[in-house]
Amino acid sequence: MAQLMMRKKKTPPAICLLLVAPSFLLLLLAVDASFDYAAAFDKSLQFFEAQRSGKLPADRRVQWRGDSALTDGFSQGVDLVGGYYDSGDHVKFGFPMAYAVTMLSWGVVEFEKEMIAANNLRRALDAIRWGTSYFVKAHTEPNALWSQVGDGDSDHLCWERAEDMTTPRTAFRIDATHPGSEVAGETAAALAAAAKAFKPYDSMYSDLLLLHAKQLFSFADTFRGRYDDSLQSAKKFYPSGLPPPDELLWAAAWLYEATGDQRYLQYVSQNAEALGGTGWAVLEFSWDNKYAGLQVLLSKVLFEGGSAGYAGTLKQYQAKAEFFLCACLQKNGGHNVKMTPGGLLYVSDWSNMQYVTSSTFLLTVYADYLAESRGTLKCPDGEVKPSEILGFARSQVDYVLGKNPKAMSYMVGYGSAYPTHVHHRGASIPSIDAMNATVGCMDGFDKYYNSRDADPNVLHGALVGGPDANDGFVDDRCNYQHAEPTLVGNAPICGVFARLAAEPADNSPPYAPPQAPSQSENGSPLEFVHTVTNSWKTNGVDYFRHVVMAKNTCGHAITYLKLQIKELSGPIYGVAGTHGNDMYEFPAWMTRLDAGVQLTIVYIQGGPAAKISVVEYKTA
């Protein structure tokens, strides 16, 4: 993702009506919007056509794109032409590209009939094949994989079209002496998932993909090591943040899904604890953190009755999957994924939409698993029916397409209002057909990157990074954290669009997460927000790292504070204990908490969260 200085620009305010609820703001739009999910599905596939590298087919729909990077890998004696550009730049990062292909393939596996009904299964398979054919070429030896083409640092120094690139196209690989379990494992998962998707339509190609998937999984498992230690050029842009590599379990699960071979089910069972599969309860699913997706995928084995002798371990996977799903639904006993006031899941200030789409995909497939088995999701704050889970997933999709405080679509080219200054080189510079003259490396910054004009090329189907934590959005190319589209953000939602397009019109009331009364409205000067940021198992006991943000909402600086913290069984940081067993005050280094400022409290324990309340306080 490009790292460039931000320039802010004012945008006209959107007209909307907000109702203050006890725990968050609920959006009420003046006009009830209905969305064409089939059209959104079609546009989402167009985005992948716009991201293609290499020799483009004659029947392409994105006519402003042309052939590019036709000699990738040649200087190093390998054919690496093809694949996808990552986002608004022209680097081919193998790790996120493979994750995107895995998610596209999972969408076909789960929603094949819906894609047929939307008359777009062939294009979905074409999008997958464009990635998998590149991976097959990049896997030149059983224990070697070319994992990146282009260097992010040099690429980001230029703003130019892919068709007349001048930046170095250096290729990087992993092998037995320079391992990369994450990227090798994810590529194995992508090829296995794609093999399952292609099986009914091209069995020979499916078999080829499985051959490479099996070899790559063996390579990833036998020669373990962090890929960004071997590929330093990737560390700044897509670093691996989770040891041990969850991609080993992820790849094995997909190989089981594609083959039914019990050896892979045995692998995910025997390595469940060592590789974190049954120990990690998470609040995100992403290109770097596969645990929630892994846990949902292995829950499918239970639903289908194919668990054989591994039911006990698979139920542990399922328990962690349901922790994540309940957290998304705001029914996880306070350990929930954050939401914006307008109702969008919010995980990160940078490209948050990728977490929305990945979470929405898992919610959608799990709702179908439950519906098929006539089950419900049992959360700490109550049971949730499959239809309610799907309703929540729809609420996220509808937000993306325009039912939000800005009353705009975050999918480019969809609806009447959408981002027109996308952080994307190809979209922002006139095509070669329109202007048959080379745009120099730095000329692009002066003439197009900093231009206030709308993009000359509409990047149909691109989901930008999305709004900030308060539902705000600045339509500015410099706003790369929020205005740049990515493969990883777009891939998961393709299948969801197809699924919702096949669903009858929804006349049910909107999903309403449980609302806990705000402590600040009950006379407390603090508003508490609880999250769980880590978990692990020791001697058979699950432990959690709790982070509590206590925000001063009373309007005055607090100079003295006494808290009562009940049911605390582990160590606590950020407050100082008093002589009372469950009483705490400001730490020694803190004398006041100004209005609007947050106090961070961290504690570790097994079991449920501690209960925090204000006993006494004084203001300046």
Side-chain angles (χ1 to χ4, degrees):
M1 301 179 191
Q3 298 187 12
L4 297 164
M5 293 183 64
M6 289 185 62
R7 172 173 56 85
K8 294 186 178 180
K9 182 174 64 178
K10 293 182 179 180
T11 55
I15 300 175
C16 60
L17 177 64
L18 294 176
L19 173 67
V20 179
S23 59
F24 53 85
L25 299 176
L26 295 176
L27 173 66
L28 297 177
L29 293 178
V31 180
D32 182 35
S34 59
F35 299 104
D36 187 342
Y37 301 119
F41 175 41
D42 182 70
K43 288 182 182 295
S44 67
L45 294 174
Q46 285 189 51
F47 169 73
F48 282 89
E49 292 185 37
Q51 294 301 103
R52 287 175 174 174
S53 177
K55 182 71 176 176
L56 303 184
D59 64 348
R60 66 186 184 276
R61 292 185 290 176
V62 185
Q63 290 295 317
W64 53 267
R65 279 297 326 279
D67 300 339
S68 62
L70 297 180
T71 59
D72 277 1
F74 284 19
S75 63
Q76 289 160 290
V78 60
D79 178 6
L80 296 176
V81 177
Y84 287 107
Y85 297 125
D86 176 62
S87 50
D89 53 30
H90 298 133
V91 183
K92 295 192 295 198
F93 289 106
F95 191 16
M97 190 197 307
Y99 166 78
V101 171
T102 305
M103 295 309 298
L104 284 172
S105 301
W106 197 357
V108 171
V109 169
E110 300 293 348
F111 307 124
E112 177 187 11
K113 292 179 181 178
E114 290 83 354
M115 290 185 181
I116 292 173
N119 197 31
N120 253 326
L121 176 63
R122 182 186 66 81
R123 290 193 187 278
L125 291 173
D126 286 347
I128 295 167
R129 189 187 291 265
W130 197 269
T132 53
S133 295
Y134 171 76
F135 295 145
V136 168
K137 290 198 296 184
H139 184 216
T140 52
E141 303 170 32
N143 294 330
L145 176 68
W146 293 88
S147 304
Q148 182 176 320
V149 180
D151 172 72
D153 287 327
S154 60
D155 182 273
H156 289 176
L157 292 176
C158 292
W159 194 264
E160 56 189 353
R161 295 176 297 205
E163 292 81 1
D164 41 42
M165 261 189 292
T166 59
T167 51
R169 301 298 294 170
T170 308
F172 304 88
R173 84 171 198 167
I174 57 170
D175 52 36
T177 55
H178 303 88
S181 295
E182 301 92 342
V183 66
E186 183 61 63
T187 308
L191 293 171
K196 173 95 175 194
F198 276 106
K199 188 68 174 178
Y201 306 101
D202 190 339
S203 61
M204 290 183 63
Y205 188 62
S206 175
D207 290 342
L208 174 66
L209 298 182
L210 270 180
L211 172 65
H212 285 275
K214 291 175 182 178
Q215 289 182 351
L216 281 165
F217 171 68
S218 178
F219 168 42
D221 190 36
T222 304
F223 301 97
R224 295 190 186 184
R226 289 174 60 108
Y227 97 106
D228 56 2
D229 286 339
S230 298
L231 300 182
Q232 290 292 319
S233 61
K235 182 167 287 189
K236 184 186 297 185
F237 303 96
Y238 285 99
S240 175
L242 284 177
D246 44 319
E247 286 77 17
L248 294 177
L249 294 172
W250 179 237
W254 271 112
L255 281 163
Y256 176 74
E257 174 75 10
T259 66
D261 189 331
Q262 290 287 314
R263 290 176 298 175
Y264 296 112
L265 196 58
Q266 182 182 36
Y267 182 94
V268 298
S269 179
Q270 291 180 344
N271 291 279
E273 186 171 350
L275 295 179
T278 55
W280 280 75
V282 297
L283 295 178
E284 71 169 78
F285 173 44
S286 67
W287 59 268
D288 183 45
N289 189 332
K290 310 304 187 317
Y291 284 120
L294 164 73
Q295 291 152 359
V296 167
L297 182 61
L298 290 176
S299 298
K300 182 181 180 182
V301 181
L302 282 173
F303 284 115
E304 294 179 341
S307 57
Y310 307 107
T313 302
L314 292 178
K315 287 179 180 178
Q316 294 180 52
Y317 277 108
Q318 185 180 35
K320 293 298 190 295
E322 295 190 343
F323 175 96
F324 172 80
L325 298 166
C326 292
C328 291
L329 294 165
Q330 310 298 291
K331 284 182 171 287
N332 205 35
H335 309 312
N336 296 319
V337 179
K338 292 181 181 179
M339 297 185 76
T340 68
L344 185 72
L345 293 169
Y346 200 81
V347 176
S348 173
D349 292 330
W350 191 309
S351 193
N352 178 66
M353 201 61 80
Q354 65 177 303
Y355 305 102
V356 174
T357 60
S358 60
S359 301
T360 300
F361 181 90
L362 295 186
L363 287 160
T364 303
V365 299
Y366 207 81
D368 282 354
Y369 296 164
L370 286 172
E372 185 70 21
S373 65
R374 301 182 183 276
T376 60
L377 177 62
K378 296 176 176 60
C379 296
D381 293 328
E383 291 190 16
V384 189
K385 298 176 182 178
S387 60
E388 293 176 310
I389 300 173
L390 190 63
F392 181 83
R394 182 186 289 107
S395 77
Q396 299 302 291
V397 173
D398 289 353
Y399 185 110
V400 169
L401 295 180
K403 195 172 183 179
N404 56 60
K406 299 289 286 186
M408 67 176 289
S409 167
Y410 288 102
M411 172 182 275
V412 177
Y414 184 94
S416 58
Y418 52 80
T420 59
H421 299 75
V422 184
H423 186 90
H424 188 278
R425 289 157 174 77
S428 68
I429 304 174
S431 70
I432 286 181
D433 291 336
M435 185 186 70
N436 191 14
T438 299
V439 177
C441 171
M442 298 307 297
D443 291 341
F445 282 112
D446 297 334
K447 294 181 181 179
Y448 302 108
Y449 178 74
N450 293 313
S451 172
R452 293 183 178 272
D453 294 336
D455 295 330
N457 306 309
V458 180
L459 191 63
H460 285 287
L463 258 66
V464 296
D468 61 25
N470 296 308
D471 301 296
F473 179 77
V474 179
D475 186 12
D476 191 323
R477 286 185 200 96
C478 301
N479 184 15
Y480 53 88
Q481 294 98 328
H482 301 284
E484 184 173 23
T486 62
L487 297 177
V488 298
N490 280 255
I493 204 169
C494 291
V496 179
F497 284 139
R499 172 66 179 83
L500 292 179
E503 187 74 5
D506 179 44
N507 297 315
S508 60
Y511 177 86
Q515 300 175 14
S518 169
Q519 296 195 42
S520 60
E521 292 183 357
N522 290 338
S524 170
L526 300 178
E527 182 179 75
F528 298 100
V529 177
H530 297 249
T531 59
V532 175
T533 61
N534 201 352
S535 69
W536 61 93
K537 186 183 292 289
T538 301
N539 296 326
V541 178
D542 287 318
Y543 288 90
F544 302 89
R545 181 179 186 269
H546 300 260
V547 176
V548 182
M549 306 301 293
K551 183 178 181 180
N552 180 356
T553 57
C554 73
H556 303 280
I558 297 174
T559 56
Y560 174 77
L561 178 68
K562 180 180 286 188
L563 300 174
Q564 184 177 43
I565 304 180
K566 296 181 178 180
E567 301 178 15
L568 178 69
S569 60
I572 189 167
Y573 313 92
V575 289
T578 67
H579 295 299
N581 290 333
D582 56 4
M583 297 296 177
Y584 296 84
E585 298 177 345
F586 282 146
W589 48 267
M590 188 174 185
T591 58
R592 61 186 283 145
L593 184 68
D594 290 328
V597 176
Q598 295 184 133
L599 169 67
T600 301
I601 304 169
V602 179
Y603 64 91
I604 297 171
Q605 66 182 34
K611 298 178 181 178
I612 305 177
S613 59
V614 177
V615 175
E616 184 180 355
Y617 70 99
K618 297 178 182 179
T619 59

